[in-house]
Structure formats: structure tokens, C-alpha cells
Amino acid sequence: MDMITATDVRFRYEEESGDATAVLNGVSLTIRQGEFVALLGHNGCGKSTFAKHCNAMLLPLGGQVLVRDMDTRSEDLVYDIRSTVGMVLQNPDNQLVSTIVEEDVAFGPENLGVPPEEIRARVDEALKAVGMYDYRKHAAHKLSGGQKQRVAIAGVLAMKPACIVLDEPTAMLDPQGRREVMDTICRLNRENGITIVLITHYMEEAVLADRVVVMDEGKIVKEGTPRQVFSQVEELRALELDVPQPTELCFALRREGVTLPDDVLTVEECAAALLQQLP
Amino acid sequence: MAVIETKQCTVRYSVGTPFEREALEGVSVCVNEGDFLGIIGHTGSGKSTFVQLLNGLLKPTEGTVLVNGRDIWENPKEIRRVRFEVGMVFQYPEHQLFEETVYKDIAFGPKNQGLSDEEVAARVYRAAELVGLRRELLDKSPFELSGGEKRRAAIAGVMAMEPSVLILDEPTAGLDPRGRESLLDQICAYKKQHNTTVLLVSHSMEDIARVADRVLVLADGHVVMDDTTEAVFSRAEELEQIGLSVPAVTKVAAALRKAGVALPDSIYTVEQAKKALLPLLKGGTHRAV
């Protein structure tokens, strides 16, 4: 079953002067249930704008976005659409609303009118899922960046979404926080079957996805498994993107005439490939 | 010569309340003229507290901060002068843009320094050019710029004051790979042009590896490493233990060394890895016996 189906989506922001810049120029993309998709592209390519179309925060000016067959333009479905697709943003400090961790996580389900006993159960479950249950009584503002971001994810989880869209959730985090958040995302996808759309500038995070989608100038320009996409080093560079360092190293050595595979993604694969070539 | 020196600096927040907490303890660091110092540490390690000490935004609870040999708190009324000497670019500096035009925003700092209009103009154009802002953007409202351009405008505003020390707190957060690269190049170019001492706080080990020649590692309010970039990144395990990391290519080199390949432990950029590996891959004796 398809989670999100975008068909020829067009969007532009109107400016005060009356000028309009086209941001999405016909994006067609289907995200299947249970899939983990990474969305890449340089700043200003339209990926965040597209993300906001996934739960009706923005409505397409042309084309159509369906969330589990619900058209995002039908006003009476907005409620159902937003409880199907949750959103996590870059800055954890902008997303926490309460002073105590468990109250923050309860905010969403409270607003959905969920009965109190059910809220309790959902909050506990969500906090356990992100590994923050022991911190449920803590002050939210005193947590580390990675912990705050996991609480933000728990807040979305408590609304029982089938899909979570994360817009650069690790951009402000230290390496440890980044690992915590990425581990959580992967686990939610594999163990709880939650569909993930991850926007990121970190190529080593995109490697973890089932599928990588690259946007440029409001269009999708590349799509495939991480292996297929990242083997195209030069094309990605032309799109102002990068490849993971192990891929880049193999690419640099291949150019010097060393025989190495072009689809190396991780540190382990890179070391193994090099060891094979070293006499 | 030491441009900045902290002597046994301790910072406590909320002193005298139940929330009293030590953010830095006995930190003694010496930054020399022309250094490119990278500062890394987990969230809450004290990085931001440390850099705020250096231009007098925070006063140490104990200890002294010397800038160009003078105790900056000797005469608290003159603390403003220190801020012209030590320029600070905060996290997400684009949130601090406020003027009607980009030009006025960049000019704000140098104007406050009491420079003549001609000198202010010259500095605005120089700084704008350095960070890659086109002239025609200078007449626009800063709020009409793209995210990346806003970031550049905000950084240009600090560069235009031509401080002898430039501190940048996470300047590349949220930028795309090419944006990161060009901003780092511009910072290096500025450093070269003005012979500025630069302190760069970052969570990106790759960024630090690219530009810094010395790295300061903070953990729980203490300095745990203060050494050349090479020496710091060769201590991968210790870095992982305190919630940090090393560049992926350093991990590749470590894995190869473990398998018996004779590689130096000073590899932290792709270029270095390539240089070290090529001769081994192209024949000769390669394995450590």
C-alpha cells in the first residue's frame, strides 16, 4: 500500500512584491508503507517545501498529494492526515512545549482528545520506543540535544502516526546525539514498521535508507538505492552534494587507476575492498 | 605570541541556588597568534561557555582571561573594546539580522567602532565579497535572502569589524555539503588576508579535520585534549568514549592498520588517505611485518 503519493506537485511562495518563485516544479513521488526514504538536495532545492506537503502544512498549487488515498486539499481530512503523518523539525528547542518530558509527549494525544488512561499508555510506550522512559519526569530544557530530539520524536509517536517526516533532525546535534537519533529512526522503521522520510545533509545518514531521492530546482533528479545513487560521484557533485567519505576515497583511488568497486558505502566495505587490492 | 589566554577559569551558573552547576572547571588554554583552533565536545561540554568567556560575554567565576596580554576584566567599563578585538559569530547568526538592508546590517559593527563612512563602506564591500555576497544583494532586505545568503551576511557583519580573533560557533550547521565547503574556504581566505586567529566550534569532525591545525577537546567542563589535529584524531577510541567521533576516512585507516597495513596514524582527510594508500596499492612492500 502507498503511504504518500505525490503527482506532479507544483508550488511557489508569493512574495510581498507580487513576485513568485517556483519552488516545486512537478514533483511525482510515491512512498510505500514501511519504506525508509532519504531526501537529499542542496539548500533551496525544495525538499523542505515538499516535506510540508506530506502532512498538509502546505497545499499544492498544482498536482495532488494523497496520504493513504486522502487528498491533502480536502479540509475535513486534515485532522486524519496529520495524525497519519507526523513531522519532526531541525531545532529541538522549537518543538518542545512543556517543561516536563512526559507532559511534552502527552501534548499531542491530549489535543487529539485521547482519553487520559490511553494517553498514559501512549506516552510510556513512546518514551520507551526512543529510549527516554527513564527521563520521563525530567525537565525538558535540561536535556542534551540528542535527548531533546528523541523526546520530540516521542511526542510525534504518541499520536500513533503511520509515517514520520524528519527535516534535518540531526543538524544541530553532536556526534553522539546524531547516533542516538539515527538509531531511534532505524529502529522505529524496522521494528515498528513506521514509514520514514528523512531529509538530511549528512550522506552517511542517507546510506541507512532503503531509497535515496535527490531533488534539484524543485524536481526529482535522481532516485535509487543508496548504492545506486552514491556510485554516481560526479553527478552528485554537480548537484552540489557529496558522497560518504569511504565512497569518495574509493572514487579518488579509482581515478588513479586502482581497481576498486564503485558502490562502496561504509567504512567496513571500504577497508575490505582496499585490503583485497593490497598485496 | 599568545593572543588569548585563560588561566584556571571556572564558570558556575546559578550560584547560590539549588541549580548551581559548574560549566567549566579550571580551564587554562593558550591561543597563539595565527592559530586555527578547532573546538569540539559533546552537547553541554562547555564549548559555548568557553568561547563566551573570551570576549567578555561571560565573566569567569574564578580565574582570568587575557586578550593580547591584558586582563579583560581589569576595567569592566572597557569590556566593549574587547568585543571589537574578539569577534563572535553565534550559532544561527542569521537570526540576528535586523537592519533594513544587507548593507546596513554588515555596516552596523564597523559603524559602532566609530570608523569613517568611507572606511565603513570599504569594509562592508570587502567582507561581502569575501563571503560571496553579490553587490546587488546589499540593497535588499536581509529577510529576502535565502538561508545560506543570510548566514553569509551575518558572518560578513562580524568580519567587517576586522577583529584580531574571530570565533565561529557552528557556522556550517544546516548548510548543504557544497555550502559548508565554500563557507569554510571563505573563512580560511579571511584568515589568510587578515592574519586573524580563528576559533571554530563544530560538531562536524570532517569540518574540523579540513581546516583546523590545532584541536581543543572539552568534556564535562574540562579540557581533555589540546593538541595538533593529527594527534587528536589519532585518539579515536577516547573521542568515541566522550560522545565524539573521528572522520570516516580515519576509521578506514584504523581498520587497515588493524589488518596489518603500514599506514601512519595521522590520516584524517580523504586527500591524506589517498596519498598514503597510492604507493602501497601501486606495488612495493606494504605490510608491516
Side-chain angles (χ1 to χ4, degrees):
Chain A
M1 191 175 131
D2 294 336
M3 182 60 65
I4 295 167
T5 316
T7 317
D8 195 31
V9 174
R10 287 164 194 279
F11 189 80
R12 58 179 187 276
Y13 292 104
E14 305 275 346
E15 286 177 26
E16 262 177 60
S17 55
D19 298 347
T21 356
V23 186
L24 297 181
N25 290 311
V27 174
S28 297
L29 178 67
T30 300
I31 291 161
R32 291 180 292 277
Q33 172 142 359
E35 210 181 0
F36 178 176
V37 176
L39 196 52
L40 306 179
H42 61 80
N43 292 119
C45 74
K47 55 195 188 314
S48 293
T49 302
F50 177 74
K52 290 187 181 121
H53 278 78
C54 293
N55 74 344
M57 272 165 81
L58 289 176
L59 301 176
L61 294 173
Q64 186 187 45
V65 179
L66 297 178
V67 173
R68 279 190 163 162
D69 297 331
M70 297 179 279
D71 191 320
T72 57
R73 280 172 306 187
S74 16
E75 262 175 58
D76 45 333
L77 290 176
V78 165
Y79 182 93
D80 296 314
I81 289 167
R82 297 218 173 122
S83 31
T84 306
V85 180
M87 186 88 90
V88 175
L89 303 172
Q90 187 181 105
N91 188 343
D93 288 315
N94 295 346
Q95 299 171 77
L96 300 181
V97 289
S98 304
T99 48
I100 304 296
V101 166
E102 63 178 10
E103 285 175 16
D104 191 86
V105 177
F107 182 80
E110 268 173 357
N111 277 301
L112 293 178
V114 175
E117 356 18 292
E118 166 82 13
I119 292 181
R120 179 76 257 167
R122 284 193 188 192
V123 167
D124 289 349
E125 195 186 327
L127 282 169
K128 280 175 188 161
V130 300
M132 287 297 291
Y133 183 69
D134 292 342
Y135 290 85
R136 63 193 180 283
K137 305 278 187 199
H138 282 230
H141 66 279
K142 295 214 164 165
L143 301 175
S144 76
Q147 290 171 332
K148 281 182 192 167
Q149 201 60 298
R150 285 188 284 155
V151 172
I153 294 174
V156 171
L157 276 181
M159 294 192 279
K160 301 238 171 203
C163 173
I164 303 182
V165 178
L166 304 104
D167 193 351
E168 291 194 54
T170 62
M172 299 185 72
L173 307 183
D174 62 20
Q176 170 72 27
R178 226 143 69 201
R179 282 195 287 266
E180 288 168 12
V181 169
M182 286 312 299
D183 287 350
T184 304
I185 292 171
C186 290
R187 217 177 41 245
L188 291 176
N189 177 250
R190 304 228 160 98
E191 291 172 18
N192 304 28
I194 292 175
T195 309
I196 300 284
V197 179
L198 173 71
I199 294 181
T200 184
H201 284 317
Y202 290 107
M203 303 303 141
E204 63 273 24
E205 293 176 2
V207 163
L208 301 169
D210 300 321
R211 183 155 60 117
V212 173
V213 175
V214 182
M215 285 184 67
D216 186 42
E217 293 181 358
K219 282 193 170 130
I220 290 174
V221 289
K222 257 181 213 313
E223 216 182 314
T225 62
R227 232 171 262 289
Q228 289 164 346
V229 170
F230 287 124
S231 62
Q232 307 168 38
V233 178
E234 272 155 335
E235 288 99 318
L236 287 173
R237 285 198 178 144
L239 293 166
E240 299 181 27
L241 292 176
D242 242 329
V243 296
Q245 275 194 340
T247 316
E248 192 186 340
L249 176 59
C250 289
F251 175 76
L253 290 168
R254 267 205 320 280
R255 284 182 101 168
E256 300 287 338
V258 181
T259 321
L260 284 168
D262 65 357
D263 61 352
V264 164
L265 291 178
T266 64
V267 168
E268 292 74 26
E269 289 171 9
C270 180
L274 285 167
L275 276 176
Q276 269 199 353
Q277 290 304 315
L278 287 161
Chain B
M1 201 192 92
V3 183
I4 286 181
E5 206 178 344
T6 65
K7 287 185 177 167
Q8 289 298 323
C9 279
T10 294
V11 177
R12 277 185 216 105
Y13 288 123
S14 315
V15 175
T17 75
F19 303 106
E20 180 169 332
R21 177 172 82 81
E22 208 149 74
L24 282 182
E25 201 196 327
V27 170
S28 299
V29 173
C30 182
V31 186
N32 293 315
E33 191 174 344
D35 269 358
F36 200 132
L37 180 71
I39 302 175
I40 57 178
H42 60 84
T43 311
S45 60
K47 303 184 296 288
S48 297
T49 302
F50 175 69
V51 293
Q52 287 180 57
L53 279 181
L54 308 182
N55 75 344
L57 286 170
L58 278 176
K59 197 176 173 181
T61 321
E62 284 162 32
T64 33
V65 179
L66 305 174
V67 173
N68 291 318
R70 283 218 338 250
D71 179 351
I72 62 169
W73 290 102
E74 198 177 63
N75 184 356
K77 281 185 186 150
E78 283 182 20
I79 198 70
R80 211 168 97 108
R81 262 225 321 259
V82 175
R83 308 219 167 108
F84 295 143
E85 283 175 69
V86 182
M88 173 97 74
V89 177
F90 290 96
Q91 277 181 29
Y92 293 82
E94 60 272 27
H95 296 167
Q96 296 165 43
L97 295 168
F98 68 101
E99 275 283 11
E100 281 167 28
T101 66
V102 175
Y103 179 94
K104 283 187 185 172
D105 213 291
I106 300 176
F108 183 78
K111 253 194 180 147
N112 273 314
Q113 285 176 293
L115 300 171
S116 69
D117 285 354
E118 295 82 61
E119 177 61 17
V120 170
R123 289 197 179 189
V124 171
Y125 292 128
R126 259 208 306 273
E129 194 189 326
L130 202 86
V131 298
L133 284 178
R134 298 187 310 278
R135 280 258 176 142
E136 63 264 30
L137 291 180
L138 294 179
D139 296 327
K140 282 199 171 187
S141 157
F143 304 103
E144 285 174 50
L145 304 184
S146 76
E149 288 164 347
K150 278 186 200 165
R151 175 84 50 96
R152 282 156 209 279
I155 293 175
V158 178
M159 285 181 171
M161 295 198 289
E162 302 191 353
S164 54
V165 180
L166 179 65
I167 302 177
L168 303 113
D169 195 351
E170 295 273 2
T172 60
L175 296 184
D176 58 48
R178 209 48 75 237
R180 294 177 96 92
E181 201 178 302
S182 65
L183 183 58
L184 289 175
D185 286 346
Q186 286 153 0
I187 293 168
C188 291
Y190 174 84
K191 180 180 186 310
K192 218 170 156 190
Q193 247 178 49
H194 298 269
N195 192 29
T196 313
T197 307
V198 178
L199 278 69
L200 174 76
V201 178
S202 180
H203 282 322
S204 163
M205 304 300 132
E206 285 78 11
D207 283 4
I208 296 281
R210 261 181 59 117
V211 296
D213 35 51
R214 208 180 119 198
V215 179
L216 185 72
V217 184
L218 292 172
D220 300 317
H222 295 264
V223 175
V224 290
M225 294 183 210
D226 179 1
D227 214 329
T228 60
T229 309
E230 194 178 307
V232 166
F233 284 134
S234 67
R235 296 162 72 177
E237 274 176 31
E238 287 164 80
L239 289 172
E240 300 261 353
Q241 267 168 20
I242 53 174
L244 297 173
S245 170
V246 294
V249 50
T250 308
K251 292 183 190 164
V252 172
L256 291 176
R257 267 199 311 278
K258 221 173 162 183
V261 182
L263 280 177
D265 60 3
S266 57
I267 290 173
Y268 49 87
T269 66
V270 170
E271 192 55 31
Q272 289 166 345
K274 183 181 129 186
K275 269 193 189 144
L277 281 163
L278 264 185
L280 302 185
L281 288 160
K282 293 212 156 168
T285 40
H286 334 327
R287 299 224 179 202
V289 188

